[in-house]
Amino acid sequence: VEFWLGDTLRADVYVTSPSWRRARSEAGLDPALVERLARAPGVRSAGRLRQVFAEAAGRRISLSGFDAGSGGPARVRLVEGAPAEALRALRQGAVLISEPLARKARLHPGDDLPVATPAGSVRVRIAGVYSDYGNERGAALVTMDRLATLFGPGPVSNMDLTLAPGADVEREVDRLRREFRGEPLLIRSNRTLRADVLAIFEQTFAVTRLLQGVSLVIAAAGITLSLLVLARERAAELALYRALGATRGQLFQVFLGRGLGIAAGGLLLGALGGAGLALVLVRVVNRAWFGWTIDLHWPWLALLAQAAWILAAAALASLYPALRASRTPAAELSRDAL
């Protein structure tokens, strides 16, 4: 997702209507405000984006139009098709489609995308396929002129502003907010928008992290219970060790090592099972269900940190059983014999 954001969010400032999240294609920017924003001091270039919902290939998709001069393929990461050829085809009326739409409808560059318009069904040539993680139903990208040809004229939905090199983006955003105070505009910097998207994405894993915490607590409780049962069942054996000269510290280390050994075995099995599950999710489930491809990246630092937490939890879970086992007296041997 971070790589996708880096490819998609390249402008310095993004402007939309406050009602964009709810109304989508019905939320537009006033043409006068669009012109004022494009001519605002410090703005080097402005890109316009218009979005509508359409029926294409038997699916309801998001169809967006962009300024032909701002470069369509430069806004997205192509997974099929060459950027230069795709841009040339776009300017001639072709379309870029998202990977979920291409995979679910089994479309490729060179095929035609049937789009239902007010004037009837129109077949648009596909110039390329781009990665998209924002809409599993599918999306498509054409030029603003082509969108107007298909669905008639309409208001601009979003704008992206590129500032002069070296400009303080956050300061410019504050200045634009003051200049357009009272207007129905939502103005955010690239950094703020990126942070908002990642925050929303991270919220989807809140339940996963909760389950991780619960499973860690349950696993630690299982280690404690197992070691307590082991200490009780082998009380005579521990007493024999004490009678032969074993110290409390040595027995303590034995049980602490057992707990860490259980955790290490669980880590090994969990790593093998987790790697297999990750491959299935990425190579099979995500492609079949959502339609998008996720590149595999092994977060070694995060994995090592989780392993350290698991071993630390196992060590804490082993402290009480190890302490109790170390206190087994040698007299326990004679009492057990009786």
Side-chain angles (χ1 to χ4, degrees):
V1 173
E2 291 181 354
F3 288 128
W4 171 62
L5 289 177
D7 293 331
T8 305
L9 303 180
R10 297 190 177 187
D12 297 312
V13 182
Y14 292 87
V15 184
T16 187
S17 168
S19 58
W20 163 253
R21 182 172 295 180
R22 299 187 305 272
R24 290 294 178 179
S25 60
E26 297 180 1
L29 299 176
D30 183 85
L33 290 178
V34 172
E35 293 301 322
R36 286 178 56 192
L37 284 165
R39 297 194 304 267
V43 175
R44 187 179 64 178
S45 63
R48 298 167 176 82
L49 188 74
R50 176 190 171 197
Q51 185 185 78
V52 299
F53 288 102
E55 294 291 331
R59 303 173 185 277
R60 182 173 172 81
I61 70 168
S62 168
L63 181 61
S64 300
F66 69 97
D67 284 331
S70 61
R75 295 172 173 266
V76 294
R77 177 186 178 190
L78 290 182
V79 295
E80 290 187 47
E85 296 178 3
L87 179 59
R88 183 167 55 253
L90 278 173
R91 290 173 174 169
Q92 295 174 357
V95 61
L96 291 178
I97 63 174
S98 67
E99 187 181 14
L101 176 59
R103 192 178 299 278
K104 294 180 179 179
R106 298 181 180 180
L107 296 171
H108 302 279
D111 296 339
D112 290 336
L113 177 69
V115 180
T117 70
S121 180
V122 177
R123 304 186 70 86
V124 185
R125 182 60 56 90
I126 299 173
V129 178
Y130 64 92
S131 61
D132 178 51
Y133 303 99
N135 190 343
E136 64 185 73
R137 294 178 300 177
L141 186 66
V142 295
T143 63
M144 193 79 78
D145 293 338
R146 182 58 165 158
L147 185 61
T149 301
L150 295 173
F151 291 90
V156 172
S157 305
N158 303 277
M159 290 186 68
D160 57 76
L161 309 178
T162 301
L163 305 179
D168 188 328
V169 177
E170 298 299 333
R171 182 177 298 176
E172 290 298 320
V173 168
D174 291 338
R175 185 187 60 77
L176 287 173
R177 287 172 178 170
R178 290 193 301 268
E179 181 177 348
F180 291 90
R181 182 179 300 169
E183 302 290 353
L185 295 176
L186 181 60
I187 305 174
R188 291 176 291 186
S189 65
N190 183 306
R191 184 177 65 181
T192 301
L193 181 58
R194 187 188 300 264
D196 291 344
V197 173
L198 288 177
I200 295 173
F201 181 74
E202 288 294 331
Q203 288 176 2
T204 62
F205 291 94
V207 176
T208 302
R209 293 192 177 88
L210 178 61
L211 292 176
Q212 285 181 333
V214 171
S215 62
L216 183 60
V217 172
I218 294 175
I223 291 176
T224 301
L225 181 61
S226 298
L227 293 180
L228 285 174
V229 172
L230 184 64
R232 183 67 187 90
E233 290 180 347
R234 297 190 177 183
E237 181 182 339
L238 297 176
L240 178 60
Y241 291 155
R242 290 299 310 277
L244 293 176
T247 64
R248 288 185 174 182
Q250 289 173 330
L251 294 182
F252 181 88
Q253 292 174 11
V254 168
F255 271 74
L256 182 61
R258 286 180 183 273
L260 292 175
I262 294 173
L267 274 174
L268 178 60
L269 294 176
L272 294 176
L277 180 60
L279 289 174
V280 171
L281 288 175
V282 170
R283 303 299 185 193
V284 180
V285 175
N286 274 290
R287 292 181 178 182
W289 184 260
F290 299 105
W292 54 55
T293 299
I294 298 179
D295 296 329
L296 280 175
H297 298 278
W298 299 102
W300 296 111
L301 292 179
L303 292 176
L304 290 175
Q306 289 188 2
W309 276 106
I310 291 173
L311 292 175
L316 289 174
S318 305
L319 288 180
Y320 177 68
L323 184 62
R324 185 167 179 174
S326 67
R327 292 178 177 177
T328 302
E332 186 73 22
L333 181 62
S334 60
R335 184 163 57 248
D336 186 72
L338 292 176

